[in-house]
Amino acid sequence: MTFTSRIRVYLLLVAVLPSLAILAAIYFQTSKQIEQADHRRIQENLLQFERIQVILQSNLVQRVLSLRDAPFLMRTKALVRSGRADQIDLGHKPAGLDFMEVLDINYRVLASHHRPGLIGNLIKEDIHPLQRSMFLPVIATVEYDAEGVHAAWTLVDHLGDGLLLYTGQYVDEQYTSLMSEILEADIRCVFNDSARELRNRMESGQLYALNGQFRARLSGPLDDEFEVVADFQSQDPPPIFGTLLLLVGLVALLSVGVALVLGWYITGRARREITNLTNATARIADGDFDTAVMAYEEGEFSQLADAFTDMTIRLRNIRRELSTAEKIAAWQIMGRKIAHEIKNPLTPIAISTDDLRRSYNENLEDFPRILDETTGTIKTEVARLTTLLDQFVSFARMKPATPIDTSLKRLIADLTSLYRAETADGRLRIACDVTGDVVHLDPEAIGQVLINLVKNGLEAGSQSGVVVTIVDSGETLKVIITDTGPGFANEIIQAGIQPYLSTKKDGSGLGLVICERIVHDHGGTLEIGNLKKEGAEVTILLPQDDGKDTDH
């Protein structure tokens, strides 16, 4: 991704992220408020359930108390006193009660409406300990009859004469439907093991979130065989919530559109100027000194373009004054160094332009300060470029390498012929381990490289010897030149190959630079180093691409 593309992406993110943050804040805040409102509503419904339950249980107690003087109970007492308990007939079931049984003091069933089969049996285990007192506590129990299992609210009334009245109301579908309508919830009964498991997990009257809804256990701590459970649905968000989200979404889309337009416009203009300067730098690096650099707009870029044009004029005039091939090669290296150094100030200029655009888009309060700082930076870098260009004198364009199919034997023979005396006395040895004879390179340029490196090795010491090793490494031709001299100085090893950096008394510091340039034009690499014992080593790697174009 290019620099300007990243800037456009950043502008999009700046436009989209705030809107997304607002959307998220609205969504989560509204959801939280809806949840809190649901919680308050359900808590109020639970309190209402408790009040209704108290009223229902109180009504149940009042109904049972009203039966104490009922004729059928008076007749029941008389039959028991006369020893004719088997003749007890409870008649019709009283209104408001779902079952009723008359028990003796030992909890033996004397008469029953809903379980006639139990007459004569003890049901002491069905009576809660609290119901055996003289009070009338309403207890939750499970009743069994011919119709099945029933959750029920029951109580025991002491009638006197050793008689007990065991009665109550079923927690049936009519009860759960009424409570569901009042509490706006799904009310149901849970029996036996499920009830005990629910009691272990949930406290009575407390809300628990479960699968997007709330659940509450409505029964109290005395419950045994069943529980009443309520599931409350969350309320739907208000219509204004959707409208607000839609509005923020439209604003986000509008922001994206504006960011796209502004980003494309601003970065496009800056990119055009920077590309113009970069292309000018490339032309200068390739030796084109005749094309003037023109800026598209007035301002700092125009000053920089004028500085480029002035530089090219100076370089062109100085280039014409060069007389020797050595100086031309040296100034060519310097020209590339100028091109490299010129590119460096363009980065802070681009960053300053970006900061100025970002501060304008975000409408920052300290925009005047940022404007002053960024324009100051641009002016400083323009001045730096002008000074840099004035400090260098010239550079020349070296003839690019032209690789062709070349005889390796002929190349070695030419080198041996030049150093015939050194080869004869053993100071120069050439070892070639290459399959075939044809290699792809510029024979004149590579010959110059070998001559320069062998010459440096022989001049490293009065008795210095040089070994040239040529190896075929698949798609790469590897040339290693070693000598028995003192090796490269530490400053050269640390600094690398630099123009005018030489430890030789009469050295120009351009020999290795020229060699590296020639190798680089072949698409290869040149590395320098020292041997472990003593001596210098230069390693050259030349790709063999069978005549394919190389990067010059």
Side-chain angles (χ1 to χ4, degrees), residues 6-20 252 255-256 259 354 357-359 361-364:
R6 288 197 298 269
I7 296 302
R8 291 165 186 166
V9 172
Y10 297 154
L11 285 174
L12 283 177
L13 292 177
V14 170
V16 172
L17 290 181
S19 300
L20 292 179
S255 300
V256 170
D354 176 41
R357 178 174 60 254
R358 178 179 57 81
S359 61
N361 290 338
E362 297 179 359
N363 196 19
L364 299 180

Side-chain angles (χ1 to χ4, degrees), residues 244-476:
L244 190 57
L245 289 179
L246 177 62
L247 180 60
V248 175
L250 292 176
V251 172
L253 289 178
L254 180 61
S255 300
V256 170
V258 172
L260 282 173
V261 174
L262 289 179
W264 201 274
Y265 174 72
I266 295 175
T267 57
R269 294 177 62 182
R271 181 179 184 179
R272 183 174 59 174
E273 296 288 359
I274 294 174
T275 301
N276 182 40
L277 295 175
T278 303
N279 292 337
T281 302
R283 290 197 303 270
I284 293 173
D286 291 336
D288 182 4
F289 300 96
D290 298 324
T291 304
V293 182
M294 302 297 294
Y296 293 98
E297 299 181 10
E298 296 295 330
E300 287 76 10
F301 284 109
S302 178
Q303 297 177 15
L304 185 58
D306 293 340
F308 264 88
T309 301
D310 184 59
M311 178 201 68
T312 57
I313 293 174
R314 295 180 190 179
L315 292 176
R316 181 178 59 195
N317 293 334
I318 296 175
R319 183 188 184 191
R320 291 171 181 173
E321 299 174 2
L322 298 179
S323 58
T324 64
E326 185 76 7
K327 290 182 179 180
I328 292 175
W331 287 119
Q332 183 181 23
I333 301 300
M334 294 301 296
R336 287 202 174 271
K337 183 174 180 64
I338 292 173
H340 176 73
E341 292 296 328
I342 286 173
K343 292 181 181 180
N344 290 336
L346 295 181
T347 299
I349 291 175
I351 293 175
S352 298
T353 304
D354 176 41
D355 290 339
L356 182 60
R357 178 174 60 254
R358 178 179 57 81
S359 61
Y360 172 79
N361 290 338
E362 297 179 359
N363 196 19
L364 299 180
E365 295 180 359
D366 57 347
F367 178 75
R369 179 187 62 79
I370 296 175
L371 177 63
D372 183 65
E373 291 179 356
T374 53
T375 54
T377 300
I378 293 174
K379 289 181 179 180
T380 300
E381 294 302 324
V382 169
R384 176 186 170 192
L385 278 172
T386 303
T387 302
L388 178 65
L389 297 177
D390 289 339
Q391 291 175 349
F392 292 100
V393 285
S394 163
F395 73 92
R397 177 176 175 81
M398 174 185 277
K399 178 184 176 181
T402 306
I404 60 175
D405 290 340
T406 303
S407 170
L408 184 58
K409 292 181 179 179
R410 178 62 180 271
L411 192 66
I412 295 174
D414 291 342
L415 182 63
T416 304
S417 176
L418 182 63
Y419 292 100
R420 183 177 292 105
E422 289 78 4
T423 304
D425 61 15
R427 291 185 61 196
L428 174 61
R429 292 185 294 119
I430 300 176
C432 182
D433 184 14
V434 176
T435 301
D437 181 49
V438 177
V439 292
H440 195 71
L441 46 79
D442 187 328
E444 182 178 347
I446 295 301
Q448 181 183 354
V449 170
L450 294 176
I451 291 171
N452 287 346
L453 295 177
V454 170
K455 180 176 179 292
N456 288 343
L458 294 173
E459 294 177 352
S462 59
Q463 298 299 322
S464 176
V466 177
V467 176
V468 178
T469 305
I470 304 175
V471 181
D472 187 358
S473 302
E475 298 180 354
T476 303

Side-chain angles (χ1 to χ4, degrees), residues 60-70 136 155 157 165:
L60 176 61
V61 173
Q62 293 301 322
R63 286 195 193 95
V64 173
L65 291 177
S66 66
L67 294 176
R68 288 182 174 179
D69 297 329
L136 295 176
L155 57 81
D157 186 18
L165 181 64

Side-chain angles (χ1 to χ4, degrees), residues 13-142:
L13 292 177
V14 170
V16 172
L17 290 181
S19 300
L20 292 179
I22 294 174
L23 281 173
I26 292 175
Y27 176 79
F28 288 111
Q29 186 65 23
T30 304
S31 300
K32 182 178 180 181
Q33 291 178 356
I34 292 175
E35 183 178 351
Q36 292 175 348
D38 285 339
H39 198 275
R40 290 192 298 269
R41 174 179 58 86
I42 295 171
Q43 288 290 1
E44 292 175 358
N45 289 343
L46 292 178
L47 293 176
Q48 184 179 7
F49 171 80
E50 294 178 0
R51 292 192 294 269
I52 294 174
Q53 198 61 37
V54 170
I55 293 173
L56 292 178
Q57 292 182 4
S58 177
N59 291 338
L60 176 61
V61 173
Q62 293 301 322
R63 286 195 193 95
V64 173
L65 291 177
S66 66
L67 294 176
R68 288 182 174 179
D69 297 329
F72 75 90
L73 287 180
M74 300 299 293
R75 185 171 59 255
T76 296
K77 292 180 181 181
L79 290 173
V80 171
R81 284 193 296 268
S82 63
R84 293 179 295 168
D86 56 338
Q87 298 180 14
I88 296 175
D89 183 7
L90 297 180
H92 295 290
K93 182 174 60 177
L97 298 176
D98 291 313
F99 63 89
M100 184 172 60
E101 292 175 344
V102 176
L103 314 176
D104 60 17
I105 195 65
N106 296 318
Y107 305 103
R108 186 183 303 277
V109 180
L110 301 179
S112 175
H113 267 307
H114 70 305
R115 296 187 296 186
L118 287 181
I119 295 176
N121 294 329
L122 294 175
I123 60 170
K124 186 173 182 179
E125 63 277 5
D126 294 341
I127 307 300
H128 196 278
L130 290 178
Q131 293 177 325
R132 299 169 189 171
S133 64
M134 296 301 294
F135 302 100
L136 295 176
V138 178
I139 303 299
T141 64
V142 174

